Amino acid sequence: MSIVRIKELVATLNEANRAYYQEDREIISNLEYDNLYDELVRLEKETGVRLAGSPTRKVGYEVVSNLKKSPHDVPMLSLDKTKEPEALSAFLGEYNGLLSWKLDGLTVVLKYDDGELQQALTRGNGYIGEDITHNARVFRNVPLTVPYKGKFDLRGEAVISIADFEDINELEENKYKNPRNLCSGAVRQLNSETAAKRRVLFFAFSLKTDEVFEKKSEQLAWLDAQGFEIAEYEIVTAKNVAQAVAKFKEKITAASVMSDGLVLTYDDIAYSESLGSTSKFPRDSVAFKWADEIAETTLIKVEWGTSRTGLINPVAIFEPVEIEGTQVSRASLHNVSILRGLGLCEGDRISVYKANMIIPQVAENLSRSDAYENILIPSNCPVCNGETEIRQSSPDDPETLYCTNPSCDAQQVRALAHFVSRDALNIGGLSEQTLEKLIGGGMITDFGDLFSLAKFENEIKKMEGFGQKSYDNLINSIETAKDVELPNFIYALGIRHVGLANAKLLCKFFKHDAQEITEACKNESYMETLSEIKGFGEAISHSLHVYFSQEKNFNLFSRTLEILRIKTPAESAGEKPLDGLTFVITGDVTQFKNRKELQTYIENAGGRVTNSVTAKTSFLINNDAHSSSSKNKKAAQLGVPVITEADLCDKIE
C-alpha cells in the first residue's frame, strides 16, 4: 500500500503545483501541502522508491551531443499478429495467458542496478537501441530508485496521454498526427528538458532478472511493488479470452492513452522460454489488432480553424456516418501537405475510420478527382481576416498555414494569458477560456481593456461559470493587480527575448523610470545605449526597439501605465554584494527550496541569473563540483569557477 500511497501523493502534489504555479489558484492549503509533502518524503525513505515525477526531486536537465547506440542483451523481436479472437483461443490451448493493452507508443528497455536506474534504450532495430537515459530520468512516473538492489531489466512502453497530446499539440508549430509520433520525438530528444515538457509516461510489461519467478503475473506484481506503473492486464484461458477482448474493447473510448490492440502471452515462464522464437517473432506472444471499421461518406467541405499560435488547421466536414458505435461528421486533416496528398474536392466520396478506435481520420479519397484546387487554401485568416502564409521549416517537414496578424483574436488569447500570468500582472480568475469569452463578447481587444471590465458587469455575470461572487473576485483581483512593479509590467508585455530577469535589468539600469526606458528604446541609437546593460545583446535590444517604436504598442503601454500604480522596489542602501556578477545554476539545490528561490536570493543581492554558461558567466553554482554535466564541462573550458550554495552564501554574508 505504501507504493500506492506514494503515487497518490505525487499526483496530488503535482496537481496542486500545477494549479498554483500555472493557473494562479489554490486547491489545497499551504498546511495541507506541507503535510502531504512530508508524508511523501517519509514514504520515499521507507520504501526506497522515488518517482521521476516526484516533487521531492530537484530536476536537473541534461543535454547530450548525440544519441549513442548500445546493443540489447536479448533481441527485441516484433510480434506475430491476428485480428481474429478465435485465433487467440487456439494460441492458448490448455495454458493460462496474460492479455494486456498493446500501448501505442515507443518500446523502451530500462536497466537497474544497486537500486538505481542505470540505462534506458529504445527498441531501435531490435538488436541495437539508442541510449535515452537522460530522457528516461524525466519520464513522469519512472522510479529513479527502487528498493531491490540487484540487477534487472524491464521492457515497457513510453507513451503520452491523449489529454496531454491534445494540450501539447495545440502549441506545436508542426502538428503531430497522433500521440505516438509526439512521444517518439520526445523520447529521442537530445535535450531532456524538451522530453520533460512532453509529459512522457512509462508502462512496464515484462521483466528479466535473476530472481526466480514461475509466472509472468508474479513478475508484474513484483514490478508494481518496486514502484512501476503496469500495463493493465487480465489472466485468461482459451475459454474466456474472447470475452476479455470484448471487455477491453468497451474500455477504449474511456482510455487515457492510445492503444493499437492487445498482446497475449503465456503466463508460465518456463513454458514460454521453452518455445524459443522464429527469425522474426517470439513464439510465446501474439498481438491482437483491432479490425478498423471503415465507412464511406461524402465530403461536404473543408473548414479552417485558427489556433492560439496562429496555426490554421484544415478540418474535413462530411455527411454523418456511424463508426464504432458513435456518429462522426468531422476529422482533422492536420496540415496543408495532408490535404494536398489526399487530393480532396467538395463532393468527393471518402473513406473514414477511427485511428485506434478513437480519433476520426480520413483514410482515402475514393473519387480521386485530383481537383483539390477547388478547395482553396485561404489567403485570409477565418478569425481576423488577416493575411495568411504557408510555412515549411525544412523540405522534410509538412507545409502549414499561418495567420500573420499578431492582433488576431486567436493569438490575442495567448498574449493576454501571458499578461495576467503569475510573474506578470498576476490577475486571478482569467483563464484562457474566460479570456476567449471576453474577447468574443467584444469586452476586451487588448490588455488595457482589462482595467475597465467593470462597465460590463451584467454581461460578465451572465457568462457561464460566473455569478456575483466570481465577478466580484475578478474585479478585486484586477484592482489589486494595479499595484505592480515596473519589471513585472514590462515582462507582461510579452516582448520577444525579454523575460522577467531581463526586465529587471532594464529597469534597474534606468532607475525604474518608464519614460527613460521608452525614450532609450525608441531612439535610433538604441543599440549604443542598451548594450551598456550587462547581458543585453543585439537580439534583446532590437526586440525592445521594435516593440516601442510601433505607435500602437507605445500608446497602449503609456495608456496602461497611467492606470497602474507602479511600485518602486525597496533597494537596500549601498552597493549590493553580487552587483555586476552573473550566475548559472545547475544540479540539485539543498539549502533552498528550489532553484527559483535561489535565483531570487541572488537577484536580491544584486546578481543576475542566466541559463547558459558563457565567457560572461561569473560563477556556475553546482553542489557537485565533479559533475560531468554539460554545464560543468563548459565552465571548465571557459575557466568559469564552480561554487556551491554554501560558497555563494559566504560571499553574501
Side-chain angles (χ1 to χ4, degrees):
M1 291 301 293
S2 295
I3 303 297
V4 174
R5 181 57 177 162
I6 285 175
K7 293 176 181 177
E8 290 175 351
L9 289 168
V10 168
T12 300
L13 292 169
N14 283 340
E15 175 63 18
N17 284 332
R18 185 182 66 81
Y20 185 79
Y21 290 108
Q22 298 179 25
E23 299 176 1
D24 300 324
R25 61 189 180 93
E26 289 188 11
I27 58 176
I28 61 176
S29 67
N30 289 338
L31 177 61
E32 185 179 1
Y33 182 94
D34 290 341
N35 289 339
L36 295 177
Y37 186 93
D38 291 342
E39 182 185 355
L40 177 59
V41 171
R42 176 176 58 79
L43 288 176
E44 288 179 340
K45 186 175 181 180
E46 289 177 0
T47 63
V49 173
R50 185 178 63 170
L51 302 179
S54 173
T56 67
R57 178 176 178 247
K58 309 295 191 300
V59 179
Y61 297 120
E62 184 179 351
V63 181
V64 299
S65 58
N66 61 348
L67 295 178
K68 298 177 182 177
K69 304 295 192 297
S70 185
H72 292 295
D73 295 334
V74 178
M76 299 182 67
L77 303 178
S78 301
L79 296 179
D80 200 1
K81 301 174 180 63
T82 182
K83 292 188 177 182
E84 304 298 329
E86 296 77 12
L88 300 181
S89 297
F91 173 83
L92 283 175
E94 61 184 12
Y95 291 92
N96 289 349
L98 295 182
L99 185 69
S100 63
W101 291 114
K102 186 176 184 296
L103 298 177
D104 194 15
L106 198 71
T107 303
V108 172
V109 177
L110 301 182
K111 297 174 178 288
Y112 285 78
D113 188 16
D114 195 26
E116 294 188 357
L117 173 64
Q118 301 293 336
Q119 188 181 45
L121 298 175
T122 65
R123 182 182 181 278
N125 63 7
Y127 297 91
I128 297 176
E130 293 173 310
D131 192 316
I132 55 158
T133 310
H134 64 299
N135 286 331
R137 294 186 189 281
V138 297
F139 289 176
R140 296 178 72 189
N141 62 340
V142 164
L144 301 179
T145 60
V146 295
Y148 180 70
K149 301 305 178 185
K151 290 185 178 182
F152 68 95
D153 298 355
L154 71 151
R155 295 182 183 180
E157 201 78 358
V159 298
I160 292 176
S161 73
I162 297 170
D164 284 340
F165 165 73
E166 292 172 349
D167 289 345
I168 296 167
N169 214 29
E170 178 70 22
L171 301 175
E172 292 286 338
E173 290 195 8
N174 294 320
K175 294 293 183 183
Y176 287 84
K177 193 171 183 179
N178 53 54
R180 187 192 185 283
N181 290 353
L182 179 60
C183 182
S184 178
V187 168
R188 300 181 68 254
Q189 289 286 325
L190 299 179
N191 188 338
S192 65
E193 184 173 6
T194 304
K197 290 178 180 177
R198 297 281 174 85
R199 311 171 199 170
V200 180
L201 298 167
F202 177 83
F203 291 90
F205 55 68
S206 70
L207 171 69
K208 180 178 179 293
T209 177
D210 291 335
E211 291 291 299
V212 178
F213 297 94
E214 293 183 357
K215 307 291 184 184
K216 293 178 185 176
S217 53
E218 295 173 358
Q219 290 183 330
L220 295 179
W222 184 84
L223 284 171
D224 180 65
Q226 299 297 314
F228 294 95
E229 295 282 343
I230 307 301
E232 181 186 356
Y233 70 91
E234 282 195 26
I235 298 177
V236 295
T237 65
K239 292 182 179 179
N240 66 12
V241 66
Q243 291 92 324
V245 169
K247 286 182 183 178
F248 273 101
K249 186 174 181 179
E250 290 176 359
K251 297 178 181 179
I252 288 177
T253 55
S256 61
V257 297
M258 297 284 283
S259 72
D260 55 355
L262 303 169
V263 174
L264 180 63
T265 185
Y266 296 110
D267 192 21
D268 189 293
I269 294 175
Y271 180 67
S272 289
E273 292 176 347
S274 71
L275 296 174
S277 63
T278 69
S279 60
K280 293 180 64 178
F281 309 118
R283 291 192 175 98
D284 71 331
S285 303
V286 64
F288 176 80
K289 302 288 286 185
W290 306 117
D292 291 323
E293 184 179 327
I294 299 178
E296 290 187 19
T297 183
T298 300
L299 180 70
I300 299 173
K301 61 180 178 178
V302 171
E303 287 185 351
W304 299 81
T306 307
S307 73
R308 296 185 185 102
T309 62
L311 179 63
I312 305 176
N313 299 309
V315 178
I317 310 298
F318 43 81
E319 291 180 356
V321 61
E322 186 169 301
I323 306 176
E324 308 291 355
T326 61
Q327 275 213 334
V328 179
S329 60
R330 56 193 292 127
S332 174
L333 296 169
H334 304 289
N335 54 56
V336 173
S337 294
I338 290 177
L339 174 68
R340 287 175 169 168
L342 287 167
L344 291 174
C345 179
E346 292 178 4
D348 280 349
R349 291 293 291 174
I350 59 175
S351 60
V352 184
Y353 72 104
K354 283 186 177 179
N356 296 338
M357 301 179 69
I358 296 177
I359 301 177
Q361 301 280 317
V362 175
E364 186 180 359
N365 180 357
L366 303 173
S367 299
R368 265 296 170 185
S369 61
D370 284 329
Y372 60 81
E373 291 86 354
N374 291 340
I375 294 182
L376 296 177
I377 296 171
S379 56
N380 296 95
C381 171
V383 174
C384 70
N385 205 39
E387 291 185 3
T388 65
E389 67 177 14
I390 293 177
R391 301 175 187 171
Q392 189 176 27
S393 301
S394 72
D396 296 326
D397 289 326
E399 291 183 306
T400 51
L401 188 68
Y402 277 85
C403 171
T404 62
N405 175 21
S407 299
C408 175
D409 283 354
Q411 297 181 63
Q412 272 188 298
V413 172
R414 192 177 182 197
L416 284 166
H418 173 76
F419 186 83
V420 304
S421 63
R422 188 176 190 85
D423 286 337
L425 268 288
N426 193 21
I427 302 176
L430 283 174
S431 65
E432 290 194 4
Q433 292 81 2
T434 299
L435 289 168
E436 285 176 349
K437 293 173 184 176
L438 295 172
I439 292 172
M443 288 173 265
I444 54 175
T445 57
D446 56 51
F447 58 76
D449 294 334
L450 291 169
F451 301 98
S452 56
L453 278 177
K455 66 183 180 183
F456 295 106
E457 178 178 357
N458 293 332
E459 291 88 340
I460 294 173
K461 287 193 294 188
K462 291 177 183 177
M463 286 168 40
E464 182 180 353
F466 270 81
Q468 186 65 52
K469 184 176 180 180
S470 52
Y471 167 79
D472 290 340
N473 289 339
L474 173 60
I475 298 303
N476 289 337
S477 183
I478 292 173
E479 183 62 28
T480 301
K482 290 180 181 179
D483 295 302
V484 64
E485 293 184 6
L486 188 58
N488 298 86
F489 176 41
I490 290 177
Y491 166 69
L493 302 176
I495 304 171
R496 184 173 172 80
H497 301 306
V498 183
L500 184 56
N502 285 332
K504 289 179 178 178
L505 289 173
L506 179 71
C507 293
K508 180 180 178 181
F509 183 82
F510 289 103
K511 301 186 181 342
H512 294 266
D513 188 317
Q515 184 175 347
E516 283 195 25
I517 290 173
T518 54
E519 287 179 357
C521 292
K522 290 173 65 178
N523 197 292
E524 289 301 319
S525 59
Y526 70 93
M527 186 64 70
E528 182 180 338
T529 305
L530 296 181
S531 62
E532 294 180 24
I533 304 175
K534 187 174 178 62
F536 271 42
E538 183 176 350
I540 299 172
S541 302
H542 182 67
S543 288
L544 286 163
H545 175 66
V546 169
Y547 184 88
F548 285 109
S549 294
Q550 293 180 13
E551 186 176 359
K552 178 182 176 182
N553 292 339
F554 175 73
N555 290 339
L556 180 57
F557 174 83
S558 301
R559 174 164 63 92
T560 308
L561 196 62
E562 293 177 358
I563 298 171
L564 299 176
R565 298 182 287 265
I566 298 297
K567 301 186 296 182
T568 301
E571 298 283 355
S572 57
E575 185 177 344
K576 293 188 176 183
L578 301 183
D579 269 343
L581 299 179
T582 300
F583 297 82
V584 174
I585 305 169
T586 191
D588 290 350
V589 294
T590 56
Q591 298 189 30
F592 294 83
K593 186 183 297 183
N594 49 44
R595 292 189 193 179
K596 185 72 173 177
E597 186 175 85
L598 174 54
Q599 178 177 339
T600 301
Y601 180 74
I602 292 171
E603 290 174 348
N604 287 342
R608 177 173 180 253
V609 177
T610 61
N611 293 322
S612 303
V613 177
T614 70
K616 295 182 179 180
T617 304
S618 306
F619 295 96
L620 171 65
I621 300 174
N622 189 344
N623 289 319
D624 182 3
H626 303 292
S627 167
S628 60
S629 72
S630 59
K631 288 181 179 176
N632 275 52
K633 292 177 181 177
K634 189 70 172 178
Q637 291 173 1
L638 298 174
V640 174
V642 180
I643 63 173
T644 65
E645 288 172 82
D647 295 331
L648 174 72
C649 294
D650 288 343
K651 285 181 177 293
I652 294 179
E653 295 171 3

